[in-house]
């Protein structure tokens, strides 16, 4: 095959990838780089967008397992024909479902970093130098992954939903037959807005704090010099399971805009109506905002008190505030200037 056209296509792919903040070269096995099929149109699209595709399907898998576990428990509640004569699952089944979904989603999205959560992506941009240009395309991929997965869950369980609510009837909590909770979280009716926010804030803080600990290569508690390494997805399974087991009662521990807002929008589209936005005194915005603020605070706590690496802005003069006031000056130069002025 002529090398000139191949060279041009490689340049075009690299240009597209660079615009999204991705590495110019896609994460490929060395033996796959020079295969003839890499010149095909879809192969070039896949190379250009491999990491966003990975984030889409990682989030898709996560929500598929998570929402699927909620659907099975909710729709079969009290079913006497089930083993045990009380439905197909209990609350802990939901913790298992979300934990497994996150673990398997990270395995699927390994080439992209397996973020699966816009707030986590944001924190890696803020604290670990993930390119900011990568954030928008990851955000879109994660949102669409959650949105599409909710659509698959609805298509799979629509007959069971009709059996519980009635054909064409769709309700949200606190209705006794509500099934909207399959797709997204709703708060307990007795919670104030402050209660709702704090519940989501603290779980998001814990999520980010522990993730940074597991990813810290210098933290001996994180299983060695490479952090949790290949055990990271398994560790996340236990983390998500624990958050659900300990903090799931009040608001459902959304902790992720992609897993809550995307499926919520899908539930609105398939017939649950505007009540998905107004329920819980317009609770829908709480998981969106609290996840970002909580994860940002969790990352801040870890970097202030534990992390010693050079990537974090916390380990620069004025806890990184100089980057705001002097954004064009490299951090290494700012540190040298600070050392000179203090000498």
């Amino acid at each position: 095959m002529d090398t000139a056209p191949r060279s041009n296509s490689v340049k075009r792919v690299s240009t597209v990838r660079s615009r999204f903040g991705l590495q110019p070269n896609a994460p490929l096995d060395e033996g796959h780089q020079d295969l003839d099929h890499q010149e095909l149109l879809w192969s070039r699209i896949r190379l250009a967008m491999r990491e966003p595709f990975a984030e889409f399907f990682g989030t898709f898998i996560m929500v598929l397992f998570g929402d699927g576990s909620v659907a099975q428990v909710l729709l079969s509640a009290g079913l006497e024909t089930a083993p045990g004569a009380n439905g197909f699952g209990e609350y802990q089944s939901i913790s298992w479902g979300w934990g497994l979904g996150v673990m398997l989603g990270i395995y699927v999205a390994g080439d992209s970093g397996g973020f699966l959560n816009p707030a986590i992506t944001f924190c890696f941009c803020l604290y670990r130098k993930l390119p900011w240009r990568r954030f928008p395309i990851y955000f879109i991929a994660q949102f669409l992954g959650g949105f599409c997965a909710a659509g698959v869950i609805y298509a799979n369980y629509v007959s069971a939903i009709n059996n519980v609510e009635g054909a064409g009837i769709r309700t949200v909590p606190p209705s006794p037959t509500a099934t909207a909770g399959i797709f997204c979280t709703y708060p307990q009716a007795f919670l104030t807005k402050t209660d709702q926010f704090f519940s989501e804030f603290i779980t998001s803080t814990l999520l980010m704090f522990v993730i940074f600990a597991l990813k810290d290569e210098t933290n001996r508690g994180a299983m060695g010099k490479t952090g949790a390494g290949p055990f990271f997805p398994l560790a996340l399974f236990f983390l998500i399971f624990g958050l659900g087991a300990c903090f799931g009662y009040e608001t459902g521990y959304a902790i992720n805009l992609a897993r809550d807002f995307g499926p919520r929008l899908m539930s609105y589209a398939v017939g649950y109506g505007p009540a998905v936005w107004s329920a819980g005194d317009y609770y829908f915005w709480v998981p969106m905002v609290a996840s970002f603020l909580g994860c940002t605070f969790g990352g801040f706590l870890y970097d202030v008190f534990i992390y010693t690496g050079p990537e974090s802005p916390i380990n620069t003069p004025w806890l990184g505030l100089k980057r705001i006031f002097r954004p064009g000056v490299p951090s290494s130069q700012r540190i040298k200037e600070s050392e000179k002025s203090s000498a």
Side-chain angles (χ1 to χ4, degrees), residues 10-321:
V10 169
K11 289 180 180 179
R12 287 195 295 270
V13 169
S14 298
T15 299
V16 172
R17 290 179 56 81
S18 297
R19 288 175 180 173
F20 289 120
L22 305 173
Q23 294 294 332
N25 297 320
L28 275 181
D29 184 273
E30 291 183 2
H32 295 175
Q33 292 178 353
D34 298 323
L35 297 178
D36 289 343
H37 72 261
Q38 303 296 3
E39 289 300 305
L40 300 175
L41 175 60
W42 180 250
S43 294
R44 296 200 303 272
I45 294 173
R46 181 173 57 209
L47 289 177
M49 302 293 288
R50 189 174 186 191
E51 292 94 321
F53 286 161
E55 285 294 316
F56 171 88
F57 281 105
T59 309
F60 181 88
I61 293 295
M62 175 185 71
V63 173
L64 209 62
F65 275 82
D67 280 0
S69 66
V70 179
Q72 179 160 290
V73 171
L74 180 67
L75 297 174
S76 69
L79 189 64
E80 296 182 356
T81 58
N86 189 27
F88 287 84
E90 300 176 348
Y91 174 75
Q92 291 293 20
S93 301
I94 297 173
S95 297
W96 278 97
W98 278 110
L100 288 169
V102 169
M103 181 182 73
L104 297 174
I106 293 173
Y107 279 126
V108 168
D111 282 338
S112 64
F115 299 103
L116 315 185
N117 184 334
I120 292 175
T121 311
F122 175 85
C123 286
F124 271 87
C125 292
L126 181 63
Y127 295 118
R128 294 296 181 269
K129 293 187 177 181
L130 186 73
W132 281 104
R133 281 185 296 174
R134 202 174 298 188
F135 178 76
I137 191 66
Y138 275 21
F139 181 101
I140 294 170
Q142 292 156 359
F143 164 76
L144 290 177
F147 180 80
C148 293
V152 172
I153 292 296
Y154 183 80
N156 184 67
Y157 281 103
V158 62
S159 294
I161 293 172
N162 288 337
N163 182 60
V164 171
E165 294 223 66
I169 301 173
R170 299 292 182 264
T171 59
V172 305
S175 168
T177 60
T179 57
I182 292 172
F183 306 99
C184 52
T185 59
Y186 292 89
Q188 296 295 330
F190 59 82
L191 294 176
T192 66
K193 190 63 66 184
T194 301
D195 295 334
Q196 296 171 4
F197 189 90
F198 185 73
S199 180
E200 286 297 313
F201 181 86
I202 192 173
T203 48
S204 298
T205 298
L206 286 169
L207 175 70
M208 197 69 245
F209 188 92
V210 175
I211 286 176
F212 270 1
L214 293 170
K215 284 290 189 180
D216 187 354
E217 296 181 0
T218 65
N219 186 342
R220 295 182 180 180
M223 310 178 201
K225 293 183 179 180
T226 59
F231 294 103
F232 178 73
L234 179 62
L236 258 290
F237 162 77
F238 287 111
L239 173 59
I240 299 302
F241 185 94
L243 290 175
C246 302
F247 297 97
Y249 167 50
E250 293 186 321
T251 60
Y253 74 113
I255 59 176
N256 186 343
L257 182 152
R259 93 41 125 232
D260 196 79
F261 180 70
R264 190 182 299 273
L265 185 61
M266 175 58 74
S267 69
Y268 172 78
V270 298
Y272 284 87
V276 304
W277 312 113
S278 60
D281 190 23
Y282 293 90
Y283 163 81
F284 79 92
W285 66 267
V286 173
M288 300 168 64
V289 176
S291 62
F292 275 89
L293 295 180
C295 284
T296 301
F297 185 60
F300 176 81
L301 286 178
Y302 189 83
D303 282 12
V304 167
F305 293 104
I306 298 178
Y307 188 66
T308 57
E311 297 87 1
S312 176
I314 302 301
N315 296 327
T316 62
W318 301 358
L319 297 180
L321 292 178

